[in-house]
Amino acid sequence: MRRHIRCGRLFTGLGDGAERDQTVVTEGERIAYVGPSAGAPVAAPEDEVVDHSGHFVMPGLIDVHVHLSYGNAKTEEDIDLYAPVEFRALRGLEAAQRVLAAGFTSMADPTTSGRVTPSIRDAIDAGLFTGPRITCSGRQITNRQGLSDWYPSWVGVPETSIGVLARDANEGIAEIRTMVKDGVDFIKIAMDGDSMNPMTSVLVAGYNQEETTAMVAEAHRLGKKVVVHARGAEAVLYSARAGVDVILHAAWMDDEGLEAVVENGCLICPTFSLVVNDIDFTRPGDGCYPGFPDAHKREIEAAQRSLAKARDAGVTFLSGTDSGFAVTPYGEWHARELEHMVTYLGISAADALRCATVNNGTFVRESGQVGALEQGRLADILVFDGDPLADITQLQDRSRIREIVLGGETVNLAINPKAQRLRSEFSYEMWHQVYTQERIAEIGMNRPVPAEAAE
């Protein structure tokens, strides 16, 4: 049986605009026809005809930067220490379903606890649960000065952390070989971190060029792509020279690094959402205020300069959000990344949509089969009431979603609205500040008078 979807406007991901009076015909999990309704195959009596002539039809969206094991974390300790890894997997499955319900039929997870996301991926692939198509790494490989080495040296990098400490290329290669054995889709290396070196006020790479090249070469030899967290100029340069596949962030990339990115065909995923959401949403009562938002303001300014040069140089961009933190909760802000790409990259709405569809579709494990509506591809389709080409912010309104099709089947998810978070998932801060006499006076509280003095 075939399914004939009559489209009001059709954005295939392969062109700039959306065409009117188009029809998409699906057969099983794949697309059998895309084109003018006048030329579409005649529907047989047993076929299903779906009238979306009043709606905007596009490929299912893709987010290539989601962390399913994080649990909307408020602190790094929440990510690494508190919830058991087994519980993170169960919680992460619900997170994946929230991603799908937001219209994102595919996603990639560059860093997870243990084997959490590969297990979620496999459970979905096995048909045990409904969820998006998932492409994932294992734990991220990190060194000193890199992400995941954020605890004091006497604590180290716990086994339950999202990272694994590899102090040189040999240790990194050993981890890569283990991860490949465990079935990851790609390798993630944290080339630098979040904090500037206090002695130099710059981000320092955790690995030198020789080490980086050796690890990337081994991953590629084993048939795996490499994604790096690289915000500083040094990390971007070493990564690009080594020929990594995707660079996350790249805010402080310099001209030398950009030249290497272009020469080696690296893709860049700016990941504006965590940065901008932190600036927009963090409140004075939050523990990271004002340091973290202020740092992110400097980062967004740097990114606008460096990534505009990358845009003009013809670098291909991917779209990802860093979802999984308290300011980027699952299912909430994925589509806002497209608004940020229009605002901070200066690209069109159509270009932003292509980043989240056809461009992202080249990275995931179903490369060439998702991200565009074309004959022979997988039938992952989003039906929307509106026109995101005219107003990209409309995609953030999930009430406008009329249908989500995954592999030719309509998605029907019943996510429990009463789901709760357990106190044991998060670090427990008993007080937000130290209540000295001076602080009590500042906030206008009167100290209690002892009972004997009152008499």
Side-chain angles (χ1 to χ4, degrees), residues 124-171:
I124 291 171
D125 286 352
L128 300 178
F129 305 96
T130 299
R133 304 183 194 276
I134 295 176
T135 302
C136 56
S137 73
R139 299 167 73 193
Q140 63 189 358
I141 296 170
T142 190
N143 201 357
R144 307 304 183 190
Q145 288 79 50
L147 288 176
S148 295
D149 188 35
W150 37 53
Y151 302 115
S153 56
W154 55 89
V155 175
V157 181
E159 186 67 27
T160 55
S161 168
I162 59 168
V164 56
L165 183 65
R167 293 164 292 185
D168 56 32
N170 288 334
E171 290 186 354

Side-chain angles (χ1 to χ4, degrees), residues 1 47 77 95 99 141 179 224 278 281 319 388:
M1 183 185 76
D47 290 348
E77 291 88 343
V99 173
I141 296 170
M179 291 177 186
K224 300 300 179 182
D278 181 48
F281 302 160
S319 175

Side-chain angles (χ1 to χ4, degrees), residues 280-334:
D280 290 349
F281 302 160
T282 303
R283 302 293 92 194
D286 292 329
C288 68
Y289 185 91
F292 210 31
D294 286 349
H296 277 156
K297 289 175 185 176
R298 295 189 292 271
E299 180 168 356
I300 202 72
E301 292 169 358
Q304 283 186 275
R305 294 189 295 269
S306 63
L307 297 179
K309 292 181 179 180
R311 176 203 62 208
D312 294 343
V315 172
T316 298
F317 291 101
L318 305 183
S319 175
T321 58
D322 228 340
S323 288
F325 293 95
V327 292
T328 54
Y330 307 111
E332 295 292 329
W333 302 108
H334 305 279

Side-chain angles (χ1 to χ4, degrees), residues 333-369:
W333 302 108
H334 305 279
R336 195 180 190 219
E337 181 71 16
L338 305 188
E339 177 189 356
H340 298 328
M341 298 185 86
V342 170
T343 300
Y344 296 107
L345 283 182
I347 62 177
S348 67
D351 283 337
L353 272 180
R354 277 194 294 271
C355 289
T357 54
V358 67
N359 288 9
N360 280 359
T362 65
F363 171 71
V364 296
R365 61 190 173 121
E366 298 87 1
S367 178
Q369 300 183 69

Side-chain angles (χ1 to χ4, degrees), residues 115 138-139 141 164 166 168-189 213-226:
R115 298 166 183 82
R139 299 167 73 193
I141 296 170
V164 56
D168 56 32
N170 288 334
E171 290 186 354
I173 287 171
E175 291 295 338
I176 288 168
R177 290 170 177 165
T178 300
M179 291 177 186
V180 171
K181 174 188 175 182
D182 288 344
V184 302
D185 299 305
F186 62 91
I187 300 298
K188 166 74 178 298
I189 302 175
T213 300
M215 289 188 291
V216 173
E218 181 63 7
H220 284 168
R221 185 184 74 85
L222 296 173
K224 300 300 179 182
K225 295 180 179 179
V226 179

Side-chain angles (χ1 to χ4, degrees), residues 143-146 190-193 202-209 211-212 232-236 238:
N143 201 357
R144 307 304 183 190
Q145 288 79 50
M191 283 295 296
D192 60 15
V202 298
L203 280 158
V204 178
Y207 297 103
N208 62 31
Q209 185 66 74
E211 292 170 320
T212 306
E234 187 177 60
V236 172
Y238 294 167

